[in-house]
Coordinates of all heavy atoms in Angstrom, one line a residue:
M1 N 108.4 181.1 50.4 CA 108.4 181.7 51.7 C 106.9 181.7 52.2 O 106.0 182.0 51.4 CB 108.8 183.1 51.5 CG 109.3 183.7 52.9 SD 110.0 185.4 52.7 CE 111.7 185.1 52.1
S2 N 106.7 181.5 53.4 CA 105.4 181.4 54.0 C 105.1 182.6 55.0 O 105.9 182.8 55.8 CB 105.1 180.1 54.7 OG 103.8 180.1 55.2
Y3 N 104.1 183.4 54.7 CA 103.7 184.5 55.6 C 102.4 184.2 56.2 O 101.5 183.6 55.5 CB 103.7 185.8 54.7 CG 104.9 186.2 54.2 CD1 105.3 186.0 52.8 CD2 105.9 186.9 55.0 CE1 106.4 186.5 52.3 CE2 107.1 187.3 54.5 CZ 107.4 187.1 53.1 OH 108.5 187.5 52.6
P4 N 102.1 184.7 57.4 CA 100.7 184.7 57.9 C 99.8 185.4 56.9 O 100.2 186.4 56.2 CB 100.8 185.4 59.2 CG 102.2 185.3 59.6 CD 103.0 185.3 58.3
I5 N 98.6 185.0 56.9 CA 97.6 185.6 55.9 C 97.6 187.1 55.9 O 97.5 187.8 55.0 CB 96.2 185.0 56.0 CG1 95.4 185.3 54.8 CG2 95.5 185.3 57.3 CD1 95.6 184.5 53.6
D6 N 97.6 187.7 57.1 CA 97.5 189.1 57.3 C 98.8 189.8 56.7 O 98.6 190.8 56.0 CB 97.4 189.6 58.7 CG 96.0 189.2 59.4 OD1 95.1 189.0 58.5 OD2 95.9 189.1 60.5
D7 N 100.0 189.2 56.9 CA 101.2 189.7 56.3 C 101.1 189.7 54.8 O 101.5 190.6 54.1 CB 102.4 189.0 56.8 CG 102.7 189.3 58.3 OD1 102.1 190.3 58.8 OD2 103.5 188.6 58.9
T8 N 100.6 188.6 54.2 CA 100.5 188.4 52.8 C 99.6 189.4 52.2 O 99.9 190.1 51.2 CB 100.0 186.9 52.5 OG1 100.9 186.0 53.0 CG2 99.9 186.8 50.9
N9 N 98.4 189.6 52.9 CA 97.4 190.7 52.3 C 98.1 192.0 52.4 O 97.8 192.8 51.4 CB 96.1 190.5 53.2 CG 95.3 189.3 52.8 OD1 95.5 188.7 51.8 ND2 94.5 189.0 53.8
Q10 N 98.9 192.3 53.4 CA 99.5 193.6 53.6 C 100.6 193.8 52.5 O 100.6 194.9 51.9 CB 100.1 193.8 54.9 CG 100.6 195.2 55.2 CD 99.4 196.2 55.1 OE1 98.4 196.1 55.7 NE2 99.7 197.3 54.3
L11 N 101.3 192.8 52.3 CA 102.4 192.8 51.1 C 101.7 193.1 49.8 O 102.2 194.0 49.0 CB 103.2 191.5 51.0 CG 104.2 191.2 52.1 CD1 104.7 189.7 51.9 CD2 105.3 192.2 51.9
I12 N 100.7 192.4 49.5 CA 99.9 192.7 48.3 C 99.4 194.1 48.2 O 99.5 194.8 47.2 CB 98.8 191.6 48.1 CG1 99.4 190.2 47.9 CG2 97.9 192.0 46.9 CD1 98.5 189.0 47.9
A13 N 98.7 194.5 49.2 CA 98.2 195.9 49.3 C 99.2 196.9 49.1 O 99.1 197.9 48.4 CB 97.4 196.1 50.6
N14 N 100.4 196.7 49.7 CA 101.5 197.7 49.5 C 102.0 197.7 48.1 O 102.3 198.8 47.6 CB 102.6 197.3 50.5 CG 102.3 197.6 52.0 OD1 101.3 198.3 52.3 ND2 103.1 197.0 52.8
A15 N 102.1 196.6 47.5 CA 102.6 196.5 46.2 C 101.6 197.1 45.2 O 102.1 197.8 44.3 CB 102.8 195.0 45.7
E16 N 100.4 196.9 45.5 CA 99.3 197.5 44.6 C 99.3 199.0 44.8 O 99.1 199.7 43.7 CB 97.9 197.0 45.0 CG 97.6 195.6 44.6 CD 97.2 195.5 43.1 OE1 96.9 196.5 42.5 OE2 97.1 194.3 42.7
E17 N 99.5 199.5 46.0 CA 99.6 201.0 46.2 C 100.9 201.6 45.5 O 100.8 202.6 44.9 CB 99.6 201.2 47.7 CG 99.6 202.7 48.0 CD 99.5 202.9 49.6 OE1 98.9 202.2 50.3 OE2 100.1 204.0 49.9
E18 N 102.0 200.9 45.7 CA 103.3 201.4 45.2 C 103.3 201.4 43.6 O 103.8 202.2 43.0 CB 104.4 200.6 45.7 CG 105.7 201.3 45.7 CD 106.8 200.6 46.5 OE1 106.9 200.9 47.6 OE2 107.5 199.7 46.0
L19 N 102.7 200.4 43.1 CA 102.7 200.2 41.6 C 101.3 199.9 41.1 O 101.0 198.7 40.9 CB 103.6 199.1 41.2 CG 104.3 199.2 39.9 CD1 105.2 200.4 39.8 CD2 105.1 197.9 39.5
P20 N 100.4 200.9 41.1 CA 99.0 200.6 40.7 C 98.8 200.1 39.3 O 99.8 200.2 38.5 CB 98.4 201.9 40.9 CG 99.4 203.0 40.9 CD 100.6 202.3 41.3
P21 N 97.6 199.4 39.0 CA 97.5 198.8 37.7 C 97.7 199.8 36.5 O 98.4 199.3 35.5 CB 96.0 198.4 37.7 CG 95.7 198.2 39.2 CD 96.5 199.2 39.9
A22 N 97.4 201.0 36.6 CA 97.6 201.9 35.5 C 99.1 202.1 35.3 O 99.6 202.1 34.0 CB 97.0 203.2 35.7
T23 N 99.9 202.2 36.3 CA 101.3 202.4 36.2 C 102.0 201.0 35.6 O 102.8 201.1 34.7 CB 102.0 202.7 37.5 OG1 101.4 203.9 38.1 CG2 103.5 202.9 37.4
R24 N 101.5 199.9 36.1 CA 102.0 198.7 35.6 C 101.7 198.5 34.0 O 102.6 198.1 33.3 CB 101.4 197.4 36.3 CG 101.7 197.5 37.8 CD 101.5 196.1 38.5 NE 100.1 195.8 38.4 CZ 99.2 195.9 39.4 NH1 99.5 196.5 40.4 NH2 97.9 195.5 39.2
S25 N 100.5 198.9 33.6 CA 100.2 198.8 32.2 C 101.0 199.7 31.4 O 101.5 199.4 30.3 CB 98.7 199.2 32.0 OG 97.9 198.3 32.6
R26 N 101.2 201.0 31.9 CA 102.1 201.9 31.1 C 103.5 201.5 31.1 O 104.2 201.6 30.1 CB 102.0 203.3 31.8 CG 100.6 203.9 31.6 CD 100.4 205.2 32.3 NE 101.4 206.2 32.0 CZ 101.8 207.1 32.9 NH1 101.2 207.2 34.1 NH2 102.7 208.0 32.6
L27 N 104.0 200.7 32.1 CA 105.4 200.3 32.2 C 105.5 199.1 31.0 O 106.5 199.2 30.2 CB 105.7 199.7 33.5 CG 107.0 199.0 33.6 CD1 108.2 200.0 33.6 CD2 107.2 198.1 34.8
I28 N 104.6 198.2 31.0 CA 104.6 197.2 30.0 C 104.6 197.7 28.6 O 105.3 197.3 27.7 CB 103.4 196.2 30.3 CG1 103.7 195.4 31.6 CG2 103.3 195.2 29.0 CD1 104.9 194.5 31.7
A29 N 103.7 198.8 28.3 CA 103.6 199.4 27.1 C 105.0 200.0 26.8 O 105.4 199.9 25.6 CB 102.5 200.5 27.1
K30 N 105.6 200.7 27.6 CA 107.0 201.3 27.3 C 107.9 200.3 26.9 O 108.7 200.5 26.1 CB 107.4 202.2 28.5 CG 106.7 203.4 28.6 CD 107.3 204.2 29.9 CE 106.6 205.6 30.0 NZ 107.2 206.5 29.1
L31 N 107.9 199.1 27.7 CA 108.9 198.1 27.4 C 108.7 197.5 26.1 O 109.5 197.2 25.2 CB 108.8 197.0 28.5 CG 109.1 197.4 29.9 CD1 108.8 196.2 30.9 CD2 110.7 197.8 29.9
R32 N 107.4 197.3 25.6 CA 107.0 196.8 24.3 C 107.3 197.7 23.3 O 107.6 197.3 22.0 CB 105.6 196.5 24.3 CG 105.2 195.3 25.1 CD 103.7 194.9 25.0 NE 103.5 193.7 25.8 CZ 102.3 193.4 26.4 NH1 101.3 194.2 26.1 NH2 102.1 192.3 27.0
M33 N 107.6 199.1 23.6 CA 107.9 200.0 22.5 C 109.5 200.1 22.5 O 110.1 201.0 21.8 CB 107.4 201.4 22.9 CG 105.9 201.4 22.6 SD 105.1 203.1 22.7 CE 105.5 203.5 24.4
G34 N 110.2 199.3 23.2 CA 111.6 199.3 23.2 C 112.4 200.0 24.3 O 113.6 200.0 24.3
A35 N 111.7 200.6 25.2 CA 112.4 201.2 26.4 C 113.0 200.2 27.3 O 112.6 199.0 27.4 CB 111.4 202.1 27.2
H36 N 114.1 200.6 27.9 CA 114.8 199.8 28.8 C 114.0 199.9 30.1 O 113.4 200.9 30.5 CB 116.2 200.2 29.0 CG 117.1 199.3 29.9 ND1 117.1 199.4 31.2 CD2 117.8 198.1 29.5 CE1 117.9 198.4 31.7 NE2 118.2 197.7 30.7
I37 N 114.0 198.9 30.9 CA 113.3 198.8 32.2 C 113.7 200.1 33.1 O 112.9 200.6 33.8 CB 113.4 197.4 33.0 CG1 112.6 197.4 34.2 CG2 115.0 197.2 33.3 CD1 111.2 197.1 34.0
D38 N 115.0 200.3 33.2 CA 115.5 201.4 34.0 C 114.8 202.8 33.6 O 114.3 203.5 34.5 CB 117.0 201.6 33.9 CG 117.7 200.4 34.5 OD1 117.2 199.5 35.2 OD2 119.0 200.3 34.3
E39 N 114.8 203.1 32.3 CA 114.2 204.3 31.9 C 112.8 204.3 31.9 O 112.1 205.3 32.4 CB 114.7 204.7 30.4 CG 116.2 205.1 30.3 CD 117.1 203.9 30.3 OE1 116.8 202.7 29.9 OE2 118.2 204.2 30.8
A40 N 112.2 203.2 31.6 CA 110.7 203.1 31.6 C 110.2 203.3 33.0 O 109.2 204.0 33.3 CB 110.3 201.8 31.0
S41 N 110.8 202.7 34.0 CA 110.4 202.8 35.4 C 110.6 204.2 35.9 O 109.7 204.7 36.6 CB 111.0 201.8 36.2 OG 112.4 201.9 36.2
R42 N 111.7 204.8 35.6 CA 112.0 206.1 36.1 C 111.0 207.2 35.5 O 110.6 208.1 36.2 CB 113.5 206.5 35.8 CG 114.4 205.8 36.8 CD 115.8 206.3 36.7 NE 116.7 205.4 37.4 CZ 117.6 204.7 36.7 NH1 117.7 204.8 35.4 NH2 118.3 203.8 37.4
D43 N 110.7 206.9 34.2 CA 109.7 207.9 33.5 C 108.4 207.9 34.3 O 107.7 208.8 34.3 CB 109.5 207.4 32.1 CG 110.6 207.8 31.2 OD1 111.6 208.5 31.6 OD2 110.6 207.3 30.0
L44 N 108.1 206.7 35.0 CA 106.8 206.6 35.6 C 106.9 206.9 37.2 O 105.9 206.7 37.9 CB 106.2 205.2 35.4 CG 106.0 204.8 34.0 CD1 105.6 203.4 33.8 CD2 104.8 205.6 33.5
G45 N 108.1 207.3 37.6 CA 108.3 207.7 38.9 C 108.5 206.6 39.9 O 108.2 206.8 41.2
V46 N 109.0 205.4 39.5 CA 109.3 204.3 40.3 C 110.7 203.8 39.9 O 111.2 204.1 38.9 CB 108.2 203.2 40.2 CG1 106.9 203.6 40.7 CG2 108.2 202.6 38.8
S47 N 111.2 203.1 40.8 CA 112.5 202.5 40.6 C 112.5 201.2 39.9 O 111.5 200.5 40.2 CB 113.4 202.5 41.9 OG 112.9 201.4 42.7
P48 N 113.5 200.7 39.3 CA 113.5 199.3 38.8 C 113.3 198.3 40.0 O 112.7 197.3 39.9 CB 114.8 199.1 38.1 CG 115.2 200.5 37.7 CD 114.6 201.3 38.8
Q49 N 113.9 198.6 41.2 CA 113.9 197.7 42.3 C 112.4 197.6 42.7 O 111.9 196.5 43.1 CB 114.7 198.2 43.4 CG 116.2 198.2 43.2 CD 116.7 199.3 42.3 OE1 116.0 200.3 42.0 NE2 117.9 199.3 41.9
Q50 N 111.6 198.7 42.7 CA 110.2 198.6 43.1 C 109.4 197.9 42.1 O 108.5 197.1 42.5 CB 109.6 200.0 43.2 CG 110.1 200.9 44.3 CD 109.6 202.4 44.1 OE1 110.0 203.1 43.2 NE2 108.8 202.9 45.1
V51 N 109.8 197.9 40.8 CA 109.1 197.1 39.8 C 109.3 195.6 40.1 O 108.4 194.9 40.1 CB 109.6 197.6 38.4 CG1 109.0 196.5 37.3 CG2 109.1 199.0 38.1
F52 N 110.6 195.2 40.2 CA 110.9 193.8 40.5 C 110.3 193.3 41.8 O 109.9 192.2 41.9 CB 112.4 193.6 40.2 CG 112.8 193.7 38.9 CD1 113.7 194.6 38.4 CD2 112.4 192.8 37.9 CE1 114.1 194.7 37.2 CE2 112.7 192.8 36.6 CZ 113.6 193.8 36.2
A53 N 110.3 194.2 42.8 CA 109.7 193.7 44.1 C 108.2 193.5 43.9 O 107.6 192.5 44.3 CB 109.9 194.8 45.2
A54 N 107.5 194.4 43.2 CA 106.1 194.2 42.9 C 105.9 193.0 42.1 O 104.9 192.3 42.3 CB 105.5 195.5 42.3
A55 N 106.8 192.7 41.1 CA 106.6 191.5 40.3 C 106.7 190.2 41.1 O 106.1 189.2 40.7 CB 107.6 191.6 39.2
R56 N 107.5 190.2 42.2 CA 107.6 189.0 42.9 C 106.3 188.8 43.8 O 105.9 187.7 44.0 CB 108.9 189.2 43.9 CG 110.2 188.9 43.2 CD 111.3 188.7 44.2 NE 111.5 189.9 45.1 CZ 112.2 190.9 44.7 NH1 112.8 191.1 43.5 NH2 112.4 192.0 45.5
I57 N 105.7 189.9 44.2 CA 104.5 189.7 45.0 C 103.2 189.6 44.2 O 102.3 188.9 44.5 CB 104.3 191.1 45.9 CG1 105.6 191.1 46.8 CG2 103.1 191.1 46.7 CD1 105.8 192.4 47.6
L58 N 103.1 190.3 43.1 CA 102.0 190.3 42.2 C 102.2 189.3 41.1 O 102.7 189.7 40.0 CB 101.6 191.7 41.7 CG 101.4 192.7 42.8 CD1 101.3 194.1 42.2 CD2 100.2 192.5 43.7
G59 N 101.9 188.1 41.3 CA 102.3 187.0 40.3 C 101.9 187.3 38.8 O 102.7 187.1 38.0
A60 N 100.6 187.7 38.6 CA 100.2 187.9 37.2 C 101.1 189.0 36.5 O 101.5 188.9 35.4 CB 98.8 188.4 37.1
F61 N 101.4 190.1 37.3 CA 102.3 191.2 36.8 C 103.7 190.6 36.6 O 104.3 190.9 35.5 CB 102.3 192.3 37.7 CG 103.3 193.4 37.3 CD1 103.3 194.1 36.1 CD2 104.4 193.7 38.2 CE1 104.2 195.0 35.8 CE2 105.2 194.7 37.9 CZ 105.2 195.3 36.7
G62 N 104.2 189.8 37.5 CA 105.5 189.3 37.3 C 105.6 188.4 36.0 O 106.6 188.5 35.3
E63 N 104.6 187.6 35.8 CA 104.6 186.7 34.6 C 104.6 187.7 33.3 O 105.3 187.4 32.3 CB 103.4 185.8 34.6 CG 103.6 184.7 35.6 CD 102.3 183.9 35.7 OE1 101.5 183.9 34.7 OE2 102.1 183.2 36.8
Q64 N 103.7 188.7 33.4 CA 103.6 189.6 32.2 C 105.0 190.4 32.1 O 105.4 190.6 30.8 CB 102.5 190.6 32.5 CG 102.2 191.5 31.3 CD 101.1 192.5 31.5 OE1 100.9 192.9 32.7 NE2 100.4 192.8 30.5
L65 N 105.6 190.7 33.1 CA 106.9 191.5 33.0 C 108.0 190.6 32.4 O 108.7 190.9 31.5 CB 107.3 192.0 34.3 CG 108.6 192.8 34.4 CD1 108.6 194.0 33.6 CD2 109.0 193.1 35.8
D66 N 108.0 189.3 32.9 CA 109.1 188.4 32.4 C 108.8 188.1 30.9 O 109.7 188.0 30.2 CB 109.1 187.1 33.2 CG 109.8 187.3 34.5 OD1 110.5 188.3 34.7 OD2 109.7 186.5 35.4
T67 N 107.5 187.9 30.6 CA 107.3 187.6 29.2 C 107.6 188.8 28.2 O 108.2 188.5 27.2 CB 105.8 187.2 29.0 OG1 105.4 186.2 29.9 CG2 105.3 187.0 27.6
T68 N 107.3 189.9 28.7 CA 107.7 191.1 27.9 C 109.2 191.3 27.8 O 109.7 191.6 26.8 CB 107.0 192.3 28.4 OG1 105.6 192.2 28.6 CG2 107.3 193.6 27.7
L69 N 109.8 191.2 28.9 CA 111.3 191.3 28.9 C 112.0 190.3 28.1 O 113.0 190.6 27.3 CB 111.9 191.3 30.3 CG 111.6 192.5 31.2 CD1 112.0 192.2 32.7 CD2 112.2 193.8 30.7
T70 N 111.4 189.1 28.0 CA 112.0 188.0 27.2 C 111.7 188.3 25.7 O 112.7 188.2 24.9 CB 111.4 186.7 27.6 OG1 111.7 186.4 29.0 CG2 111.9 185.5 26.7
A71 N 110.5 188.8 25.4 CA 110.2 189.0 24.0 C 111.0 190.2 23.4 O 111.3 190.2 22.2 CB 108.7 189.3 23.9
E72 N 111.3 191.2 24.3 CA 111.9 192.4 23.8 C 113.5 192.4 24.0 O 114.1 193.4 23.6 CB 111.4 193.6 24.6 CG 109.9 193.8 24.3 CD 109.5 194.1 22.8 OE1 110.3 194.7 22.2 OE2 108.5 193.5 22.4
R73 N 114.0 191.3 24.5 CA 115.5 191.3 24.8 C 116.3 191.3 23.4 O 115.9 190.9 22.4 CB 115.8 190.1 25.6 CG 115.7 188.8 24.9 CD 115.9 187.6 26.0 NE 115.8 186.4 25.4 CZ 115.9 185.2 26.0 NH1 116.2 185.3 27.3 NH2 115.8 184.2 25.4
D74 N 117.6 191.7 23.5 CA 118.4 191.7 22.4 C 119.0 190.4 22.1 O 119.6 189.7 22.9 CB 119.7 192.7 22.9 CG 120.6 192.8 21.7 OD1 120.6 192.1 20.7 OD2 121.5 193.7 21.8
P75 N 118.6 189.8 20.9 CA 119.0 188.5 20.6 C 120.5 188.3 20.4 O 121.0 187.1 20.5 CB 118.3 188.2 19.3 CG 118.0 189.5 18.7 CD 117.8 190.5 19.9
S76 N 121.3 189.3 20.3 CA 122.7 189.2 20.2 C 123.5 189.1 21.5 O 124.7 188.7 21.5 CB 123.2 190.4 19.4 OG 123.2 191.6 20.3
L77 N 122.8 189.2 22.6 CA 123.5 189.0 23.9 C 123.4 187.6 24.3 O 122.5 186.8 24.0 CB 122.7 189.9 25.0 CG 122.8 191.4 24.8 CD1 122.0 192.0 25.9 CD2 124.3 191.8 24.8
P78 N 124.4 187.2 25.1 CA 124.4 185.8 25.6 C 123.5 185.7 26.9 O 124.0 186.0 27.9 CB 125.9 185.5 25.9 CG 126.4 186.9 26.3 CD 125.7 187.9 25.4
H79 N 122.2 185.4 26.7 CA 121.3 185.4 27.8 C 121.6 184.3 28.8 O 122.2 183.2 28.4 CB 119.9 185.4 27.3 CG 119.6 186.6 26.5 ND1 119.3 187.7 27.1 CD2 119.6 186.7 25.1 CE1 119.1 188.6 26.0 NE2 119.3 188.0 24.9
G80 N 121.3 184.5 30.1 CA 121.6 183.5 31.1 C 123.0 183.6 31.6 O 123.5 182.7 32.3
T81 N 123.7 184.7 31.2 CA 125.1 184.9 31.8 C 125.3 186.3 32.4 O 124.4 187.1 32.2 CB 126.0 184.8 30.6 OG1 125.8 186.0 29.7 CG2 125.9 183.5 29.8
L82 N 126.3 186.4 33.2 CA 126.6 187.7 33.7 C 126.9 188.7 32.7 O 126.6 189.9 32.8 CB 127.8 187.5 34.8 CG 127.4 186.9 36.1 CD1 128.7 186.9 37.0 CD2 126.3 187.7 36.8
T83 N 127.5 188.2 31.6 CA 127.7 189.2 30.5 C 126.4 189.8 30.0 O 126.3 191.1 29.8 CB 128.5 188.5 29.3 OG1 129.6 188.0 29.9 CG2 128.7 189.5 28.1
G84 N 125.5 189.0 29.8 CA 124.1 189.6 29.4 C 123.6 190.6 30.4 O 123.1 191.6 30.0
Y85 N 123.6 190.2 31.7 CA 123.1 191.1 32.8 C 124.0 192.4 32.7 O 123.4 193.5 32.8 CB 123.2 190.4 34.1 CG 122.6 191.2 35.2 CD1 121.2 191.1 35.5 CD2 123.3 192.2 35.9 CE1 120.6 191.9 36.4 CE2 122.7 192.9 36.9 CZ 121.3 192.8 37.1 OH 120.8 193.6 38.1
N86 N 125.3 192.3 32.6 CA 126.1 193.5 32.7 C 126.0 194.4 31.5 O 126.3 195.5 31.5 CB 127.6 193.1 32.8 CG 127.9 192.5 34.1 OD1 127.3 192.8 35.1 ND2 128.9 191.7 34.2
K87 N 125.4 193.8 30.4 CA 125.0 194.7 29.2 C 123.7 195.1 29.3 O 123.1 195.5 28.2 CB 125.3 193.8 28.0 CG 126.8 193.6 27.7 CD 127.1 193.0 26.4 CE 128.6 192.8 26.2 NZ 129.2 193.8 25.5
R88 N 123.1 195.1 30.5 CA 121.8 195.7 30.8 C 120.6 194.9 30.5 O 119.5 195.4 30.4 CB 121.6 197.1 30.3 CG 122.7 198.1 30.8 CD 122.4 199.5 30.3 NE 121.2 199.9 30.7 CZ 120.6 200.9 30.2 NH1 120.9 201.6 29.1 NH2 119.3 201.3 30.7
C89 N 120.8 193.6 30.1 CA 119.6 192.8 29.9 C 119.0 192.4 31.2 O 119.7 192.0 32.2 CB 120.0 191.4 29.2 SG 118.5 190.5 28.8
R90 N 117.7 192.5 31.4 CA 117.0 192.1 32.6 C 116.0 191.0 32.4 O 115.0 190.9 33.1 CB 116.3 193.4 33.2 CG 117.3 194.4 33.6 CD 118.3 193.9 34.7 NE 119.3 195.0 35.1 CZ 120.5 195.1 34.7 NH1 120.9 194.2 33.7 NH2 121.3 196.1 35.1
C91 N 116.2 190.2 31.4 CA 115.3 189.1 31.1 C 115.5 188.1 32.3 O 116.4 188.2 33.1 CB 115.6 188.4 29.8 SG 117.0 187.3 29.7
P92 N 114.5 187.2 32.5 CA 114.5 186.3 33.6 C 115.9 185.4 33.6 O 116.4 185.2 34.7 CB 113.4 185.4 33.5 CG 112.5 186.0 32.5 CD 113.3 186.9 31.7
E93 N 116.4 185.0 32.5 CA 117.7 184.2 32.4 C 118.9 185.0 33.0 O 119.6 184.5 33.6 CB 117.9 183.7 31.0 CG 116.9 182.6 30.7 CD 115.7 183.1 29.9 OE1 115.6 184.4 29.7 OE2 114.7 182.4 29.7
C94 N 118.9 186.3 32.5 CA 120.0 187.1 32.9 C 119.9 187.4 34.4 O 121.0 187.5 35.1 CB 120.1 188.4 32.0 SG 120.7 187.9 30.3
R95 N 118.8 187.8 34.9 CA 118.6 188.0 36.3 C 119.0 186.8 37.1 O 119.6 186.9 38.2 CB 117.1 188.4 36.7 CG 116.8 189.8 36.1 CD 115.5 190.4 36.6 NE 114.5 189.5 37.0 CZ 113.5 189.2 36.1 NH1 113.4 189.8 34.9 NH2 112.5 188.4 36.5
S96 N 118.6 185.6 36.6 CA 119.0 184.3 37.3 C 120.5 184.2 37.3 O 121.0 183.6 38.3 CB 118.3 183.2 36.6 OG 118.6 181.9 37.1
A97 N 121.2 184.5 36.3 CA 122.6 184.4 36.2 C 123.2 185.2 37.3 O 124.2 184.8 38.0 CB 123.1 184.8 34.9
L98 N 122.7 186.4 37.6 CA 123.2 187.2 38.6 C 122.9 186.5 40.0 O 123.8 186.6 40.9 CB 122.5 188.6 38.6 CG 123.0 189.6 39.7 CD1 124.4 190.0 39.5 CD2 122.1 190.8 39.7
Q99 N 121.8 185.9 40.2 CA 121.5 185.4 41.5 C 122.4 184.1 41.7 O 122.8 183.9 42.8 CB 120.1 184.9 41.5 CG 119.0 186.0 41.5 CD 119.3 187.0 42.7 OE1 119.5 186.5 43.9 NE2 119.3 188.2 42.4
R100 N 122.7 183.4 40.7 CA 123.7 182.2 40.8 C 125.0 182.7 41.3 O 125.8 182.0 41.9 CB 123.7 181.5 39.4 CG 122.5 180.6 39.2 CD 122.8 179.7 38.0 NE 123.3 180.3 36.8 CZ 122.5 180.8 35.8 NH1 121.2 180.7 35.9 NH2 123.1 181.3 34.8
K101 N 125.4 183.9 40.8 CA 126.7 184.5 41.1 C 126.8 184.9 42.6 O 127.8 184.7 43.3 CB 127.0 185.7 40.2 CG 128.2 186.4 40.5 CD 129.5 185.6 40.0 CE 130.7 186.5 40.2 NZ 131.9 185.8 40.5
I102 N 125.8 185.4 43.1 CA 125.6 185.9 44.4 C 125.5 184.8 45.4 O 126.1 184.2 46.0 CB 124.4 186.8 44.7 CG1 124.5 188.0 43.9 CG2 124.3 187.2 46.1 CD1 123.4 189.0 43.9

């Protein structure tokens, strides 16, 4: 998607304000300790939707989030399927399966 430069800068600024670096770091730490994205984000006062929206805008954070979710996912689930997503996996493959369904 292409935005005028002012819109892009505003999107980045809004994402940074909504999910500042300290909050992003704490979220990643909670995920690495085994917390689910839903609980970890709520503990920090943000919604999972806000986290994933910021991850789409803030590229480095998005990569870090996806890497962490992939590393911490349950190996017994069928990743890349709606079943995996429905069992609360939010790794990139399971989120992608949901997007293919929609």
Side-chain angles (χ1 to χ4, degrees):
M1 198 180 280
S2 179
Y3 295 102
I5 193 79
D6 290 341
D7 290 348
T8 301
N9 290 339
Q10 189 60 50
L11 282 171
I12 292 169
N14 290 345
E16 288 277 354
E17 182 179 327
E18 197 167 273
L19 208 67
T23 302
R24 296 193 304 262
S25 294
R26 290 174 53 210
L27 175 75
I28 296 297
K30 285 179 173 286
L31 295 174
R32 288 182 179 156
M33 291 188 300
H36 188 270
I37 185 83
D38 292 348
E39 287 79 29
S41 59
R42 285 191 197 110
D43 286 350
L44 297 171
V46 295
S47 72
Q49 293 81 5
Q50 289 172 301
V51 170
F52 287 115
R56 283 191 301 275
I57 295 166
L58 305 171
F61 171 63
E63 289 173 23
Q64 184 181 31
L65 179 64
D66 283 347
T67 299
T68 302
L69 291 172
T70 299
E72 298 300 323
R73 68 186 180 182
D74 181 348
S76 69
L77 293 177
H79 297 285
T81 67
L82 286 177
T83 300
Y85 187 88
N86 289 336
K87 292 192 180 255
R88 297 186 63 203
C89 182
R90 296 301 180 260
C91 76
E93 289 90 7
C94 290
R95 292 192 325 265
S96 177
L98 179 67
Q99 293 304 315
R100 286 190 307 267
K101 175 73 173 154
I102 295 174

